Amino acid sequence: MVKRSLSLGQWLEDRAGASTLARVVLFRNVPLGVGVLYTLGFAAAFVFMVQLLTGVVLALYYAPTPDHAYDSVAYIGERVAFGSIVRGLHHWGSSAMVVLVVAHLVVVFTLAAYKRPREVTWLLGIGLLVITLAFSFTGYLLPWDEKAYWATNVGTNMVGTVPFIGDFLLRVARGGTELGASTLTRFYALHTLILPGALFLILAGHVALVIWHGVSVPPSLWNTEREAAERLREAESARGYQVESARYAVFKRAGRPFWPDVIAEDLAVAVVVFVALLILALALGAPLEAPADPTNTSYIPRPEWYFLFLFQLLRYFPGQLEWIGVALLPGIAFLALVLLPFLDRSTERRLSRRPIASTISVLLATGVGFLTTSALLSTPPAVVEERNTRLTAVQIVGRTHYRQFCVSCHGTSGEGSSDGPPLIDVAAVRDTAFMHSYIEEPQRMARSALMPGFIGQMSHQEVEETAQYVKTLSGASGAARS
Ligand code: HEC
């Protein structure tokens, strides 16, 4: 009789195929040319683990009801041992995850790693991006402070502007028509149950495919003269795939082992990211403003910084056109991402030889950069605007509209009357974009508004001029008399 081995390794081998698993996952080769740019996906997954661990700790103390949410978050920061560090890590981790996932996407795009045979890996990656953004949007509400409440109010309002189904979507997002207790539990369930589950599943598929296909070879090595000669010989795409995998195997054999070489690089980058998060958490902590006050309509909401470009984009589509900025343009961008590997099917991976792809990406990057910068620059001032400033030409034109349409209710210098409130205080806290929308259609900005809308009587240009003028009314004497 054969004596059976009693080693743990053998036991695991028999029960779980341990050595096969280790060979497939760890003792694989990574092809030639794979460097530090390839570590970002691992770093993003690592930050997700940090979010998971810190999130579990936060969930032990957090109470998802409007009455207790804010206090429980404050309690974590003030009383729980290491609570403020854990909250800080979770807060900065969410930004880091967005940054890393987007950076990973940019690298994959630049290296054209989405091309055959990695289309499905790309699609799952887009899914991970969407989930990451959904995590951030739902998590923003949970502290239930002013920032959380009003930013989510604006965010869910945007959803409501989508034509035809807007009202329905708004009610689904809020769990009712108003932002309240059911919104909070809904967001909490998404944030802690549904999104982590979805992310885990998709991430597992994504990583499995990365291992299955192997990491892509950098374009500079892949698209060579030899490859061009091969291309000439095979025209048909089914065979093309086989030729490609044969070529890939050559690069892979010449590469480095994942364990311990490449994983050491991945871990080194992950440690750097973690140390950065720890420094941010210790030095800056996580912000917590005053508790949410649904009656404080003078609060000016600002979204998280990586949503600023979208927020800014909406300013160019005021009133009835808002859905273009909310749904249409982001929808087109999303569709373009999804279809990318199916539209761009050439085997050329060098960016310099992909003119359409590089043009579009430069345009997109410039656009997002421009929108984010202009949003940052137009951050509403914390102090009341200076009085008696001289009016610009646009504001003077706006004053004539104001005198024609608005004085009857708001008074000659915005001091108010029995038919309308003073605009002096409003001008101090609202930006022109808000006033623009309010003049066009007050009921869209405040459900119970009594003021008539001017969308039919004034042109877009006139509304904008009036809004610019009204903005100067802040202060006791107002600019109107200057
Ligand atoms: C028929 C009276 C009436 C006229 C005309 C009128 N408003 Fe108003 N306005 C109101 C009332 C009432 C409110 C208070 C909020 C509400 O119920 O809509 C208001 C509120 C506002 C607000 C403040 C929104 C806020 O956040 O509190 C702004 C800004 C404003 N009006 C601008 C204008 C401008 C500009 C015009 C001229 C184009 C104008 N209004 C014409 C009655 C009027």
Side-chain angles (χ1 to χ4, degrees), residues 402 405-406 408-410 419-421 423 426 430 434-435 438-439 448-452 454 458 466 470:
Y402 179 87
F405 293 108
C406 323
S408 58
C409 296
H410 290 295
D419 288 326
L423 291 182
V426 176
R430 295 295 196 183
F434 172 87
M435 290 197 238
Y438 203 89
I439 297 167
S448 55
L450 300 170
M451 177 170 135
F454 288 88
M458 295 167 87
T466 314
V470 172

Side-chain angles (χ1 to χ4, degrees), residues 210-410:
V210 169
I211 294 173
W212 171 259
H213 291 301
V215 181
S216 76
V217 176
S220 54
L221 296 180
W222 185 253
N223 291 117
T224 54
E225 301 317 312
R226 192 181 134 222
E227 181 258 352
E230 270 171 15
R231 286 277 146 241
L232 280 180
R233 267 181 279 121
E234 41 89 20
E236 205 232 327
S237 86
R239 271 187 53 221
Y241 176 77
Q242 283 157 18
V243 175
E244 269 165 18
S245 28
R247 288 192 67 230
Y248 182 77
V250 176
F251 279 106
K252 195 165 174 168
R253 268 197 301 280
R256 296 179 299 156
F258 178 70
W259 176 279
D261 289 34
V262 179
I263 198 168
E265 282 169 22
D266 283 343
L267 282 172
V269 172
V271 168
V272 170
V273 169
F274 185 74
V275 170
L277 288 179
L278 205 57
I279 291 173
L280 285 167
L282 286 169
L284 302 172
L288 189 62
E289 298 187 350
D293 174 7
T295 62
N296 177 13
T297 47
S298 66
Y299 187 87
I300 301 169
R302 306 287 293 173
E304 193 67 301
W305 64 268
Y306 38 79
F307 285 132
L308 272 180
F309 76 97
L310 209 58
F311 186 72
Q312 185 70 13
L313 183 66
L314 297 180
R315 297 191 169 179
Y316 301 103
F317 301 101
Q320 305 269 277
L321 297 178
E322 190 167 351
W323 67 277
I324 297 181
V326 170
L328 190 66
L329 294 181
I332 291 175
F334 176 75
L335 208 64
L337 277 182
V338 167
L339 293 179
L340 177 68
F342 308 102
L343 297 176
D344 178 15
R345 291 171 56 187
S346 83
T347 52
E348 179 57 60
R349 293 193 192 164
R350 282 166 291 190
L351 197 59
S352 57
R353 307 209 183 173
R354 290 153 59 209
I356 299 178
S358 45
T359 315
I360 292 177
S361 54
V362 167
L363 284 180
L364 257 177
T366 322
V368 170
F370 169 78
L371 289 172
T372 307
T373 333
S374 48
L376 286 174
L377 292 179
S378 64
T379 303
V383 288
V384 172
E385 302 239 302
E386 209 185 314
R387 297 175 206 166
N388 288 322
T389 43
R390 294 186 51 199
L391 300 184
T392 65
V394 171
Q395 290 160 352
I396 290 170
V397 178
R399 185 168 60 184
T400 59
H401 307 315
Y402 179 87
R403 287 181 176 160
Q404 184 183 351
F405 293 108
C406 323
V407 277
S408 58
C409 296
H410 290 295

